[in-house]
Amino acid sequence: MKALCWHGTKDVRVETVPDPKIINPRDAIVKITSTAICGSDLHLYDGWNPTMQKGDILGHEFMGEVVELGSGVKNVKKGDRVVVPFTIACGSCFFCQRTLWSLCDNSNPNAWMAEAEMGYSPSGLFGYSHLTGGYAGGQAEYARVPFADVGLFKIPDGLSDEQVLFLTDVFPTGYMAAENCDIQPGDTVAIWGCGPVGQFAIRSAYMLGAERVIAIDLVPERLQMAKDGGAEVLDITEVEVGEALKEMTGGIGPDSVMDAVGMEAHGFGLEGFYDRVKQAARMETDRPNVLRQAIVACRKGGTVSVPGVYTGFVDKIPMGAFMNKGLTMKTGQTHIHRYLHPLTERIQNGEIDPTFLVTHRLPLEQAPHAYEIFKHKQDNCIKVVLKPGQVA
Amino acid sequence: MTQNIKVEKTVTINKSPEELYRFWHDFENLPRFMKHLKAVEVKDAKRSHWITSGPLGGSVEWDADITEDQENELIAWKSIDGADVNHSGSIHFKPASHGSNSAAPNANRGTQVKVVMAYNPPAGAIGDAIAKLFGEAPEQQLGDDLRRFKMLMETGEIATTEGQPQGQ
Ligand SMILES: NC(=O)c1ccc[n+]([C@@H]2O[C@H](COP(=O)([O-])OP(=O)(O)OC[C@H]3O[C@@H](n4cnc5c(N)ncnc54)[C@H](O)[C@@H]3O)[C@@H](O)[C@H]2O)c1
Ligand SMILES: [Zn+2]
Ligand SMILES: [Zn+2]
């Protein structure tokens, strides 16, 4: 089959590799019809994860048709159309039983690696480095899905690929990030990052009762899409964000703040320079300037929600502000399985149409080009859907 | 030079002591999750024959006897006198319930399983080979074996990526 393989920093190639096969009884093989590129993939593309290996197949936002089943999968049939959560979960451990799916105890074969860094291992993830299992990803024609009996979600009739594709990650991620804001009626939520995660977070915050959402970014078309979602927007190249937020909230600050940017945030001035140098010298793995800003901007007693991905260590977190203002932080890889049913219902009810996000549809063969335009925000690129099997 | 190796590790498994005890008590199950064990043959209620991978693709074998057996609580075993390898081990099962309110959501976590393993290789070439086999990061080896035991018990299989496709 054809698959997109990682070969090094900013070096990804579409190659012919062997087809995946059933390895364990609870596996399934899915023939992929649509697969997206995520902001998380850019962290790997940019070479920030030291546990990537040459030849690793990328991709964790994919869906398609079941073509093969292990003997232990009884709840789906060949031919079913399914979406695949990017987190791999067994369904029977302590964490899965409490719907903390992204913390599954049993799906990361390289748990020892994660334990060395984090003490305990999160779940396995598709196409997301060897630290989280080294599972072959879904920017490919086929993928093997472990614990398919728990993960595969059968798509109700009448919904198109693009309506449900983002259930694999960014819609639930934006939604959980909004839930993590602990929104009360009348609240103002400030969201840094108007990428796909930020876009769904804006819309989810309103679903969960926010009065106002203020969205922050520096890319005009992304800010425009945030406006279309009902947000007021701030461009970081035009205003001092902290001051602007204070002014807009009558001097109180937003009730909750969200970092939907993560470890590769753009920084400016001396602080941005400091982080870039440290990160380049591998003295700091992540650049946390959004997180810093968000903590300082949050109102007293507010909540900091962090869907943005961090992989290692950050520097100069304003712990004094965090502690003395009595803030709460909530974060994590998303517990995707928890949101599949309820968010599908919202799509069916017409509360949201996730297709608003798609700016580019390309054949799998053009994935390297797609990574480039997505990374550099060329051609107004916000979200790319790759179509395996479509002629280039 | 050979040296005594002794390691112990605890893992919590979301299953009852009964289920875990029953599975482990059939030593023929152990090679399913213990990496170096090629096979165990149970000869009678007490005795079993163990085969592990050895140096140069060969193997090392010995007989062991169960020395203590308390249903759902404890199994201990030991290689018989005169075996090439002086090995002993034990496994302890303890219900992992916390607090007095057993209906509390986090009260029941299954079973705390503690395994203790000791190898006392003889002097000489075989001894050196065995020391090497079990002596390289023995804590991690036992930890990995127990993680696979937990996976097998909780999910019925062992998570792996061996055999999946990859680019050049
Ligand atoms: N927690 C999870 O389970 C989960 C799932 C998916 C993605 N993520 C993470 O969420 C983050 C966003 O993902 P995405 O797909 O939306 O990525 P993206 O790269 O498309 O979006 C990031 C956005 O942040 C903006 N940005 C950069 N620096 C900024 C700054 N200083 N201030 C304000 N905005 C800034 C960029 O212009 C861009 O629009 C990433 O870190 C990704 O890894 C987490
Ligand atoms: Zn993603
Ligand atoms: Zn689990």
Side-chain angles (χ1 to χ4, degrees):
Chain A
M1 67 164 180
K2 292 261 188 329
L4 184 76
C5 301
W6 185 94
H7 280 273
T9 303
K10 299 188 179 63
D11 180 4
V12 294
R13 306 173 197 166
V14 177
E15 288 180 61
T16 302
V17 303
D19 287 351
K21 51 182 198 295
I22 302 282
I23 298 174
N24 271 333
R26 295 173 63 185
D27 288 356
I29 306 293
V30 170
K31 181 176 196 280
I32 296 165
T33 52
S34 294
T35 176
I37 305 177
C38 179
S40 295
D41 293 325
L42 293 180
H43 306 319
L44 307 179
Y45 186 67
D46 291 338
W48 294 121
N49 189 315
T51 68
M52 288 297 292
Q53 289 172 15
K54 273 186 195 306
D56 285 348
I57 299 172
L58 291 172
H60 60 266
E61 302 185 353
F62 59 98
M63 60 175 294
E65 182 196 325
V66 177
V67 290
E68 226 185 306
L69 289 170
S71 56
V73 190
K74 307 282 183 220
N75 53 335
V76 286
K77 302 185 305 293
K78 281 188 197 179
D80 281 350
R81 269 180 83 224
V82 291
V83 293
V84 184
F86 84 96
T87 43
I88 303 172
C90 79
S92 39
C93 69
F94 176 89
F95 299 94
C96 287
Q97 287 184 347
R98 285 155 183 78
T99 77
L100 301 168
W101 307 95
S102 75
L103 305 178
C104 174
D105 250 350
N106 292 317
S107 57
N108 184 359
N110 298 333
W112 61 273
M113 244 188 238
E115 282 178 357
E117 187 191 328
M118 308 180 193
Y120 304 94
S121 173
S123 77
L125 306 175
F126 286 103
Y128 214 69
S129 89
H130 290 262
L131 190 75
T132 46
Y135 286 100
Q139 286 160 9
E141 290 181 302
Y142 295 89
R144 163 189 169 238
V145 179
F147 301 125
D149 53 330
V150 174
L152 291 186
F153 177 69
K154 191 168 179 256
I155 303 161
D157 289 339
L159 295 173
S160 70
D161 272 24
E162 284 176 14
Q163 278 177 296
V164 292
L165 175 60
F166 303 130
L167 291 169
T168 58
D169 180 351
V170 283
F171 184 12
T173 294
Y175 191 87
M176 185 169 109
E179 271 187 352
N180 281 348
C181 286
D182 194 20
I183 295 167
Q184 307 297 316
D187 273 5
T188 299
V189 183
I191 298 177
W192 277 253
C194 298
V197 171
Q199 297 296 342
F200 279 113
I202 291 165
R203 289 152 179 85
S204 301
Y206 282 123
M207 287 178 193
L208 293 168
E211 179 76 24
R212 289 171 81 191
V213 177
I214 304 171
I216 304 150
D217 204 294
L218 63 160
V219 181
E221 62 274 13
R222 292 179 179 225
L223 289 168
Q224 182 57 50
M225 191 181 265
K227 261 190 213 163
D228 298 343
E232 297 160 61
V233 299
L234 292 176
D235 183 334
I236 61 170
T237 62
E238 287 170 3
V239 296
E240 205 290 304
V241 174
E243 280 308 313
L245 286 172
K246 191 177 256 183
E247 207 43 45
M248 291 166 84
T249 54
I252 295 173
D255 301 288
S256 52
V257 295
M258 184 190 299
D259 172 359
V261 179
M263 56 180 280
E264 291 187 83
H266 284 277
F268 297 101
L270 194 59
E271 183 198 347
F273 177 73
Y274 173 89
D275 286 320
R276 266 173 201 288
V277 170
K278 279 211 138 182
Q279 195 176 38
R282 294 291 196 264
M283 288 164 71
E284 178 179 46
T285 53
D286 307 351
R287 295 197 302 264
N289 40 309
V290 162
L291 190 55
R292 290 183 195 128
Q293 248 181 26
I295 289 172
V296 174
C298 190
R299 80 147 159 80
K300 293 184 283 182
T303 304
V304 184
S305 166
V306 186
V309 161
Y310 291 86
T311 57
F313 300 90
V314 295
D315 219 342
K316 299 248 187 302
I317 288 300
M319 201 57 208
F322 186 77
M323 186 272 162
N324 288 287
K325 290 200 293 176
L327 305 184
T328 301
M329 186 183 291
K330 290 191 177 180
T331 183
Q333 299 284 355
T334 306
H335 306 301
I336 302 291
H337 302 56
R338 197 196 274 171
Y339 299 98
L340 292 167
H341 277 285
L343 295 187
T344 302
E345 265 173 36
R346 289 191 189 264
I347 296 169
Q348 286 176 305
N349 295 344
E351 282 172 71
I352 184 164
D353 177 7
T355 60
F356 76 88
L357 189 68
V358 183
T359 54
H360 290 71
R361 298 164 181 88
L362 294 168
L364 178 65
E365 278 73 7
Q366 288 184 35
H369 165 71
Y371 269 74
E372 270 307 287
I373 60 169
F374 178 50
K375 175 177 169 48
H376 296 292
K377 283 122 187 143
Q378 290 162 359
D379 196 25
N380 295 340
C381 182
I382 298 177
K383 191 74 171 177
V384 183
V385 177
L386 299 167
K387 305 293 276 184
Q390 199 175 79
V391 275
Chain B
M1 266 305 294
T2 59
Q3 61 191 51
N4 296 344
I5 298 156
K6 183 169 185 235
V7 283
E8 77 175 62
K9 267 252 155 42
T10 302
V11 63
T12 298
I13 302 182
N14 199 9
K15 288 279 168 189
S16 67
E18 291 75 18
E19 288 167 281
L20 300 174
Y21 168 87
R22 222 178 305 126
F23 190 86
W24 193 289
H25 198 272
D26 181 357
F27 285 170
E28 296 193 358
N29 280 327
L30 303 190
R32 290 172 67 182
F33 57 88
M34 298 189 105
K35 201 166 164 211
H36 287 299
L37 262 188
K38 282 190 182 165
V40 178
E41 188 194 333
V42 173
K43 295 187 158 168
D44 58 40
K46 213 173 145 202
R47 179 149 306 178
S48 51
H49 182 69
W50 298 51
I51 307 173
T52 69
S53 47
L56 300 173
S59 51
V60 182
E61 313 190 11
W62 66 87
D63 281 339
D65 281 344
I66 290 182
T67 54
E68 231 189 312
D69 190 352
Q70 292 168 25
E71 202 173 354
N72 306 332
E73 285 177 23
L74 161 73
I75 312 168
W77 61 93
K78 193 173 179 333
S79 56
I80 61 170
D81 291 345
D84 277 353
V85 178
N86 186 349
H87 162 68
S88 66
S90 61
I91 181 164
H92 310 249
F93 307 93
K94 197 175 110 193
S97 20
H98 301 281
S100 47
N101 178 4
S102 62
N106 288 348
N108 186 9
R109 294 162 193 247
T111 305
Q112 268 186 21
V113 176
K114 179 166 121 183
V115 172
V116 184
M117 295 267 201
Y119 293 91
N120 189 357
I126 292 190
D128 284 347
I130 292 164
K132 195 155 184 296
L133 197 60
F134 296 102
E136 275 173 21
E139 295 274 349
Q140 180 167 345
Q141 273 187 34
L142 180 59
D144 288 350
D145 284 347
L146 287 186
R147 183 191 315 286
R148 283 188 288 266
F149 178 50
K150 174 179 159 79
M151 286 176 173
L152 193 57
M153 298 304 358
E154 289 186 349
T155 78
E157 60 186 48
I158 294 170
T160 182
T161 56
E162 252 167 73
Q164 73 174 10
Q166 206 191 355
Q168 272 92 58

